[in-house]
Amino acid sequence: MDKVYEQFRDIGIIPVVAIEDASKAADLAHALVRGGLPASEVTFRTACAAEAIEAMIKAEPDMLVGAGTVLNVEQAEKAVKAGAKFIVSPGYNPDVVDWCIKNKIPTMPGISNPSEITACINKGLTYLKLFPAERKGGYKIIDDFGGPFPQCAFMPTGGVTTENVGEYAKRKNILCMGGTWMVKKPLIEGEKWDEITQICKDAVKAMHGFHIDHMGINAANPDDATAIADGFAPFGFAAKVGNSSIFASDQVEIMKQNGRGTHGHISMMCNNVERALAYLKRFGFKPVAGTEVYMTKGNANTPLKVVYLDKEVGGFAIHLKRA
C-alpha cells in the first residue's frame, strides 16, 4: 500500500473543506490536528483552494493535505504545485486519472456504479471514492461491491456523520471516510476553532467504537479457575469450560493458568484494528509481535482480528479485537 493510502487508512476520516478565505486555513489546520484528524481534502469549489492548501501545509507540515473536486488536469497541476499530496474527483475523468498516474500522484476518482469501478480497475486504481455515498446506498452498497470487486477499497463521502461513521468504519473494504460535518461553512467563517476540534474528537471516538468485550482473570491453575468461576454463580453467570479458560458469562473469562497481564487481560473491541493501532501509537501503545490473529487465520494479507498491546493498564494486558 502506498504511504499516502496508509495515511488515509490510519487517520480514518478525511475532512472535506470548502474554504472561502485562505487566511483562515492555518487556524483550521491547527483545529483539525488538535481534534485528531490531521488531514484535509481542500475542494476546488473556491478560488482560493490552492492558496489554502499551501497555507495548511505551512501551518501543519505533517498534515496530509490534498485536493478535492478536481475536474480537469489544469486544477490537478495547480493543486500539486501548491503541495497537494493526493487528488480526489467527484467522478471518473480519464484525463485526470492518466495525468495522476503519469506523475505518480495518488488519486481517488469518484464512482457510484460497477461500470465506473471497472473503468478505474482497468487503469490500475483500486482505491476509490463512493459519491454521494448515502444517496447511493451507503455502507450497504459498499458491502455489495465487496463481492465482485474484492480488490477495491472505498472512501465514502456524502452523508457520512458522527452517527453513522462507525458502521462505515467496520467494513473491510473501507479505506477511510470523507465528510464535511466537522468543517461546515458557518464554523469556518465564524472561526469556531474549538467547536471544530470537539466535533473532530467526537467523530474519532465514534469511528473507533472502542468498548470492552470481556475481561480475563488470571488463575494459578485449573482448580483455582473453577473456584473463581463458582464465585460468579450466585449472579446467574453459568460456567462454560474451555481448554485454556472458563467463561463465567460472556463478559468474564478465567484463565486456567497465568496468562498475559499481571492480573489478567481486557478484550477491547474496535471497528478496525490497524486504524486503532495507528491511533493508539500516539499514546505509547505498540502491538506485541507474535500475538496477531488475522481475519483469515494464518494469512497476514487479510485484516487483523486480534492483537495484544505492549502496555498494561491497572495490571491488565489489553488486546484489541475487531468488531
Side-chain angles (χ1 to χ4, degrees):
M1 183 184 290
D2 183 280
K3 182 180 179 181
V4 168
Y5 294 116
E6 285 186 2
Q7 289 178 278
F8 274 116
R9 181 201 65 197
D10 291 348
I11 296 168
I13 300 172
I14 309 301
V16 180
V17 175
I19 190 165
E20 302 281 353
D21 183 355
S23 69
K24 301 182 189 300
D27 286 331
L28 176 58
H30 296 319
L32 294 173
V33 170
R34 287 196 302 269
L37 296 179
S40 179
E41 176 192 325
V42 181
T43 67
F44 267 69
R45 301 175 192 171
T46 65
C48 68
E51 186 181 354
I53 289 171
E54 193 170 0
M56 295 183 90
I57 293 171
K58 183 177 180 180
E60 293 285 352
D62 294 329
M63 192 174 183
L64 178 63
V65 182
T69 321
V70 175
L71 304 178
N72 53 57
V73 171
E74 181 182 1
Q75 289 178 331
E77 291 175 335
K78 191 174 182 180
V80 171
K81 186 176 180 181
K85 298 296 189 296
F86 60 87
I87 298 293
V88 177
S89 301
Y92 173 72
N93 183 323
D95 291 337
V96 173
V97 166
D98 289 344
W99 184 88
C100 289
I101 292 172
K102 179 181 177 181
N103 290 278
K104 298 181 180 180
I105 305 298
T107 184
M108 281 192 284
I111 59 87
S112 60
N113 60 61
S115 295
E116 293 167 341
I117 296 174
T118 301
C120 291
I121 291 173
N122 288 338
K123 291 284 188 178
L125 301 179
T126 55
Y127 298 110
L128 309 171
K129 172 178 178 173
L130 173 65
F131 179 79
E134 279 294 287
R135 291 186 181 181
K136 292 297 180 180
Y139 52 82
K140 292 181 180 179
I141 196 171
I142 288 173
D143 289 342
D144 292 340
F145 287 156
F149 306 112
Q151 69 271 56
C152 292
F154 301 91
M155 178 175 72
T157 305
V160 182
T161 66
T162 298
E163 287 68 35
N164 62 20
V165 71
E167 283 296 333
Y168 281 102
K170 67 178 62 173
R171 263 65 195 178
K172 290 187 292 183
N173 57 343
I174 291 286
L175 178 68
C176 60
M177 292 69 64
T180 62
W181 76 96
M182 73 292 292
V183 287
K184 288 188 177 296
K185 187 176 180 179
L187 295 173
I188 297 174
E189 290 186 346
E191 301 183 3
K192 306 288 187 180
W193 310 128
D194 289 343
E195 188 172 345
I196 288 172
T197 292
Q198 187 58 53
I199 295 172
C200 290
K201 288 181 178 179
D202 293 341
V204 169
K205 181 179 178 181
M207 171 181 65
H208 288 299
F210 291 122
H211 63 279
I212 293 174
D213 175 53
H214 71 266
M215 67 174 296
I217 301 171
N218 286 339
N221 54 60
D223 288 340
D224 284 351
T226 299
I228 294 171
D230 288 345
F232 287 97
F235 301 97
F237 294 172
K240 301 175 185 177
V241 180
N243 291 330
S244 60
S245 66
I246 303 172
F247 270 91
S249 83
D250 293 334
Q251 287 76 45
V252 182
E253 181 183 17
I254 303 98
M255 309 305 295
K256 291 183 178 180
Q257 60 183 7
N258 284 324
R260 290 187 178 274
T262 303
H263 304 306
H265 68 271
I266 294 172
S267 175
M268 186 72 70
M269 300 292 284
C270 63
N271 287 327
N272 182 295
V273 174
E274 288 84 357
R275 186 177 294 127
L277 288 172
Y279 170 75
L280 292 169
K281 183 178 179 180
R282 72 186 71 173
F283 301 101
F285 289 96
K286 297 178 182 178
V288 177
T291 65
E292 303 92 343
V293 178
Y294 295 91
M295 294 292 287
T296 300
K297 191 173 182 180
N299 186 351
N301 292 319
T302 60
L304 279 167
K305 182 178 181 180
V306 175
V307 70
Y308 271 91
L309 301 176
D310 64 338
K311 287 171 58 175
E312 294 185 7
V313 175
F316 286 85
I318 294 177
H319 72 64
L320 297 175
K321 182 179 180 182
R322 185 173 185 136

